[in-house]
Amino acid sequence: MPTTMKDIARDLGVSIVTVSKVLRNHEDISEETRKRVLNRVKELNYTPNLAARGLVTGKTYLVGLVVPDLLHPFFAEIATSLSRGLLKKGYCLTISTSEEDPELEENEINRLLSRRLDALLIATSNTSSASFERMQKQGPPLILIDRNFPGLGANFVGVDDEAVGVLATEHLIAMGCMRIAHLRGPDNSPGVGRLNGYVKTLAKHRLKSLAGYVSAPRTVDIQSRESGAELMKALIGLSPRPDGVFCYNDPMAIGAIHSILDAGLRVPGDIAVIGSGNLHYDSELRVPLSSIDQQTDLIGERAARLTLSLLESKTPPRNRTFIIEPKLVIRESTDRKKRTSEA
Amino acid sequence: MPTTMKDIARDLGVSIVTVSKVLRNHEDISEETRKRVLNRVKELNYTPNLAARGLVTGKTYLVGLVVPDLLHPFFAEIATSLSRGLLKKGYCLTISTSEEDPELEENEINRLLSRRLDALLIATSNTSSASFERMQKQGPPLILIDRNFPGLGANFVGVDDEAVGVLATEHLIAMGCMRIAHLRGPDNSPGVGRLNGYVKTLAKHRLKSLAGYVSAPRTVDIQSRESGAELMKALIGLSPRPDGVFCYNDPMAIGAIHSILDAGLRVPGDIAVIGSGNLHYDSELRVPLSSIDQQTDLIGERAARLTLSLLESKTPPRNRTFIIEPKLVIRESTDRKKRTSEA
DNA sequence: TTGAAAGCGTTACCAG
DNA sequence: CTGGTAACGCTTTCAA
């Protein structure tokens, strides 16, 4: 059994209240008592029980984060920068994964809710907003991350996904691609947003997306690379064959490049490839990968600031949305203006 | 304010105890009362307050994990498989990062301890075991992960680091390397263990590690790639130049390869490179990277099982150690015999 | 400057 | 089968 304030109070012949006050830096404690208490606290290695404190104050100083997949560097980075931001103000972050499974996600959320978090951040793998509507009425402040429900009007921090699609597609066109395909993502806001950007940009340039040029994986994110490889194989078989591919994310793009090279074709010579996410190792790949940078750490930072503002403000504030602007990063996989050496 | 058992009891004209019993599936409740309670629970969307429950039961069903860096896939994977294992038994995992900073780590640990975790798992970035000795006397069960303190005799799950060094070095020798260098890791058990394996293997084959052939980064893990690149530059300038390099981890190896190629040399032709960790994208790199697989998910799984056994057993059990055997994975970066290998 | 009493939401224990 | 009472470790309020 860990030490309690009661132990300290008994040892010192003071009341529990006095100990409590010392620990919270109350003014009205004599210098001497304060010292004696602090001393004993050190000696016994006492740590206040936050659960008990939270029970009476109503604040747990615990913020929850649910992401689909921690192995995806995108979410790992968000978690890291978010945690950094919250820690500064004494809030602790607890991270859970849903493994892209809506049911598991629901379980995790309930588990977290049972702990009476001060706030909850979610990059949801759910395609329905029903449970979030409920949570908005009841429960702690809710902040959606990366994946939004347009109708819901919740707090949201994420990238401008349509801009991602526009940037990528415009770039492929600028590189001279005429037949641009899209390996699309899941049926959530990033997947749909990026697809829209792609479609609009093609239309703007009076280019067509031929039959089979938009292709969707059966499973989601977690196995992006495998599905990218698989979908790309099918694309290669089409005629006319695409000469540029915009992939929903970098792992898919990596899989796509793998299939292209396996088929004896060159990147970007025969097919240019661009992804999204700008992962740390993009520049070290077989073919260094062009990508759309989503400013991931900024998302985490913004989310932290938004969360803190919700937590500090006395009156329940209006829901807010922060959209981060994506940026194009050009590497070899789309750089057709430069001769590329193939290994 | 969230719903409480009191609300439900009042609404239904039963006692709080009855509600509590229904929620914990006590036998001695009439079918009718049970139904009425369960109904109202649904209606009000009631979730039990785990903090309050934990206060009286002494169990929080919360397990803590502290890792140096979530962006490192090694730790992300451990976190994921660990969480999966614990969830099965209803335990929740809370993940924190120390960013390889011992002071930050100490803070995080205290924060977590304040929440009265049922168990604490740490991949420490501390080089001193002092605070862990204290924690072993007082506080929840402690499980060290990946990085051990040999003298401490704590619960530990990790890879056989000396075997990592042996496997890697033996492989380089088998590939015909005669002048093998080592980009070593930090001053903790993995860093030292891998170095030892390297040294012993060289000795066994009567090979020498020439002056400057063992080189250590100034900073730790977080910027492995940069330091790998930097250290490799220096190695290239030595004469005689090494023809094989064993790197502490894969990011370092990636940096090293970068420098070698930049210098106009070939991998593995001029210098063979092997890392450790066998990251998911090793096979998609500029030069597919040979590596030592640490069976990362197995580490997480084992750690979960060990944790659960500590939690379930009534008597405080003896500390246990699980050592996972590493495995060699051959790819292009060391394949001087030009075999056809892909992973 | 100090502390007694009440209460936070829950469970343990035991009596009815 | 049901429920009163005490307790978990802490903070709040108010009186001394």
Side-chain angles (χ1 to χ4, degrees):
Chain A
M1 286 285 107
T3 315
T4 70
M5 294 195 343
K6 198 198 256 176
D7 300 325
I8 296 177
R10 181 180 13 76
D11 292 359
L12 262 41
V14 299
S15 82
I16 295 182
V17 183
T18 304
V19 178
S20 172
K21 281 179 175 163
V22 170
L23 286 165
R24 282 171 301 132
N25 291 315
H26 253 249
E27 285 307 314
D28 54 359
I29 294 287
S30 75
E31 205 38 49
E32 209 211 307
T33 324
R34 175 185 308 278
K35 278 213 172 111
R36 293 210 305 144
V37 171
L38 255 22
N39 241 14
R40 194 80 188 126
V41 162
K42 264 262 156 59
E43 282 171 20
L44 295 179
N45 221 289
Y46 168 79
T47 336
N49 183 328
L50 286 189
R53 176 181 291 177
L55 202 52
V56 25
T57 61
K59 282 206 66 159
T60 57
Y61 281 93
L62 225 205
V63 171
L65 171 68
V66 182
V67 296
D69 177 13
L70 261 190
L71 270 170
H72 197 320
F74 176 73
F75 296 115
E77 188 155 359
I78 287 185
T80 304
S81 60
L82 179 61
S83 171
R84 209 192 319 256
L86 294 177
L87 243 36
K88 279 185 210 148
K89 294 285 183 179
Y91 291 88
C92 206
L93 183 70
T94 172
I95 308 165
S96 304
T97 61
S98 64
E99 312 198 9
E100 292 282 6
D101 177 344
E103 199 175 332
L104 251 175
E105 175 177 304
E106 198 99 13
N107 287 344
E108 276 310 308
I109 290 176
N110 286 332
R111 226 186 280 276
L112 291 174
L113 255 23
S114 281
R115 302 208 183 265
R116 299 295 185 264
L117 310 163
D118 290 341
L120 183 53
L121 297 104
I122 306 183
T124 183
S125 40
N126 211 139
T127 45
S128 143
S129 65
S131 54
F132 298 105
E133 281 173 38
R134 228 183 303 129
M135 288 174 57
Q136 281 195 313
K137 310 238 75 175
Q138 185 185 119
L142 177 68
I143 298 107
L144 260 27
I145 291 198
D146 181 49
R147 305 169 181 198
N148 201 1
F149 293 106
L152 190 62
N155 290 297
F156 176 72
V157 181
V159 80
D160 182 341
D161 284 299
E162 193 168 309
V164 168
V166 170
L167 272 179
T169 312
E170 286 284 5
H171 172 62
L172 288 174
I173 293 171
M175 288 293 125
C177 296
M178 300 294 292
R179 301 179 304 279
I180 300 174
H182 176 41
L183 301 192
R184 61 159 296 183
D187 238 324
N188 52 25
S189 67
V192 172
R194 291 172 201 184
L195 172 63
N196 285 344
Y198 158 84
V199 168
K200 283 192 185 170
T201 306
L202 286 191
K204 179 179 159 199
H205 290 267
R206 307 191 186 292
L207 289 172
K208 277 184 193 150
S209 176
L210 287 81
Y213 268 33
V214 172
S215 136
R218 252 164 301 148
T219 57
V220 262
D221 251 354
I222 287 213
Q223 287 157 335
S224 296
R225 206 161 80 207
E226 286 78 355
S227 55
E230 198 180 315
L231 294 174
M232 194 64 224
K233 269 188 205 153
L235 279 185
I236 290 173
L238 294 180
S239 102
R241 196 174 64 204
D243 59 0
V245 184
F246 159 44
C247 301
Y248 170 67
N249 64 18
D250 284 349
M252 277 184 109
I254 292 170
I257 290 179
H258 199 110
S259 290
I260 297 172
L261 297 181
D262 273 2
L265 299 171
R266 290 160 309 154
V267 177
D270 294 306
I271 307 181
V273 177
I274 187 168
S276 179
N278 194 25
L279 304 185
H280 285 339
Y281 50 84
D282 280 353
S283 56
E284 307 295 334
L285 295 171
R286 211 139 51 124
V287 183
L289 180 64
S290 293
S291 188
I292 306 298
D293 190 301
Q294 300 171 21
Q295 305 204 59
T296 316
D297 53 345
L298 226 172
I299 295 183
E301 233 174 77
R302 270 273 177 232
R305 274 200 274 164
L306 173 54
T307 305
L308 290 174
S309 84
L310 294 175
L311 257 28
E312 317 272 76
S313 91
K314 272 287 105 176
T315 58
R318 284 196 43 207
N319 285 338
R320 295 205 282 163
T321 293
F322 287 102
I323 304 293
I324 310 271
E325 277 313 307
K327 289 179 182 165
L328 174 66
V329 178
I330 305 172
R331 296 198 186 88
E332 202 179 304
S333 71
T334 57
D335 196 356
R336 297 177 122 191
K337 304 287 162 89
K338 205 171 79 181
R339 260 284 174 253
T340 61
S341 54
E342 199 47 68
Chain B
M1 284 285 106
T3 316
T4 71
M5 297 198 338
K6 198 197 254 176
D7 299 325
I8 296 177
R10 180 180 12 75
D11 291 359
L12 262 40
V14 299
S15 81
I16 295 182
V17 181
T18 303
V19 177
S20 171
K21 280 178 176 167
V22 170
L23 286 165
R24 284 173 298 136
N25 290 315
H26 254 249
E27 285 308 314
D28 53 0
I29 294 287
S30 74
E31 205 39 48
E32 209 211 305
T33 322
R34 177 184 308 278
K35 278 211 174 112
R36 292 208 307 144
V37 171
L38 255 22
N39 242 12
R40 194 80 190 125
V41 163
K42 264 264 155 57
E43 282 171 22
L44 296 179
N45 222 290
Y46 167 79
T47 337
N49 183 328
L50 286 190
R53 177 182 289 178
L55 201 53
V56 27
T57 61
K59 283 206 65 159
T60 57
Y61 281 92
L62 224 205
V63 171
L65 171 68
V66 182
V67 296
D69 177 13
L70 261 189
L71 269 170
H72 196 320
F74 176 73
F75 296 115
E77 187 156 0
I78 286 185
T80 304
S81 60
L82 180 61
S83 171
R84 208 191 321 255
L86 295 176
L87 242 38
K88 280 184 208 147
K89 294 286 182 178
Y91 290 88
C92 207
L93 183 69
T94 172
I95 307 166
S96 305
T97 61
S98 64
E99 310 198 8
E100 292 283 7
D101 177 344
E103 198 174 334
L104 250 176
E105 176 177 303
E106 197 100 13
N107 287 345
E108 276 310 309
I109 291 176
N110 286 332
R111 225 186 281 276
L112 290 174
L113 255 22
S114 282
R115 303 208 182 264
R116 299 297 185 264
L117 311 163
D118 289 341
L120 183 52
L121 296 103
I122 306 183
T124 184
S125 40
N126 212 138
T127 45
S128 144
S129 66
S131 53
F132 297 105
E133 282 174 39
R134 226 183 305 128
M135 288 175 58
Q136 281 195 314
K137 309 238 76 173
Q138 186 185 120
L142 177 69
I143 298 106
L144 260 29
I145 291 198
D146 181 48
R147 305 170 181 197
N148 200 2
F149 293 106
L152 190 62
N155 290 297
F156 177 72
V157 181
V159 80
D160 182 341
D161 284 299
E162 193 168 310
V164 169
V166 170
L167 272 179
T169 313
E170 285 284 3
H171 172 62
L172 288 175
I173 293 171
M175 289 292 123
C177 297
M178 301 294 291
R179 299 179 305 279
I180 300 174
H182 177 40
L183 300 191
R184 60 159 297 180
D187 238 322
N188 52 24
S189 67
V192 171
R194 291 172 200 184
L195 172 62
N196 285 344
Y198 159 83
V199 168
K200 283 192 184 170
T201 306
L202 286 191
K204 179 179 160 199
H205 288 268
R206 306 192 186 293
L207 289 173
K208 275 182 195 153
S209 177
L210 286 80
Y213 268 33
V214 173
S215 134
R218 251 165 301 147
T219 56
V220 262
D221 252 354
I222 287 213
Q223 285 157 336
S224 296
R225 205 161 82 206
E226 286 78 354
S227 56
E230 197 180 316
L231 294 175
M232 193 65 224
K233 268 187 206 152
L235 278 185
I236 290 173
L238 293 180
S239 102
R241 193 173 66 203
D243 59 1
V245 184
F246 159 43
C247 301
Y248 171 67
N249 63 17
D250 284 349
M252 277 184 107
I254 292 169
I257 289 178
H258 200 108
S259 290
I260 295 172
L261 298 181
D262 273 3
L265 300 172
R266 289 160 308 153
V267 177
D270 295 306
I271 306 181
V273 178
I274 187 168
S276 179
N278 194 27
L279 304 185
H280 285 341
Y281 50 84
D282 279 353
S283 56
E284 307 295 335
L285 295 172
R286 203 130 66 119
V287 182
L289 180 64
S290 294
S291 187
I292 306 296
D293 190 301
Q294 299 171 22
Q295 304 205 59
T296 316
D297 52 345
L298 228 173
I299 295 182
E301 234 174 76
R302 270 275 177 230
R305 274 200 274 163
L306 173 54
T307 305
L308 290 174
S309 83
L310 294 174
L311 258 28
E312 317 272 76
S313 91
K314 272 288 105 177
T315 59
R318 283 195 43 206
N319 285 339
R320 293 206 282 164
T321 294
F322 287 102
I323 303 293
I324 311 270
E325 276 313 306
K327 288 178 182 166
L328 175 65
V329 178
I330 304 172
R331 296 197 186 88
E332 201 180 306
S333 72
T334 57
D335 196 358
R336 298 178 125 191
K337 308 279 163 93
K338 282 294 171 208
R339 309 178 340 172
T340 22
S341 75
E342 245 323 301

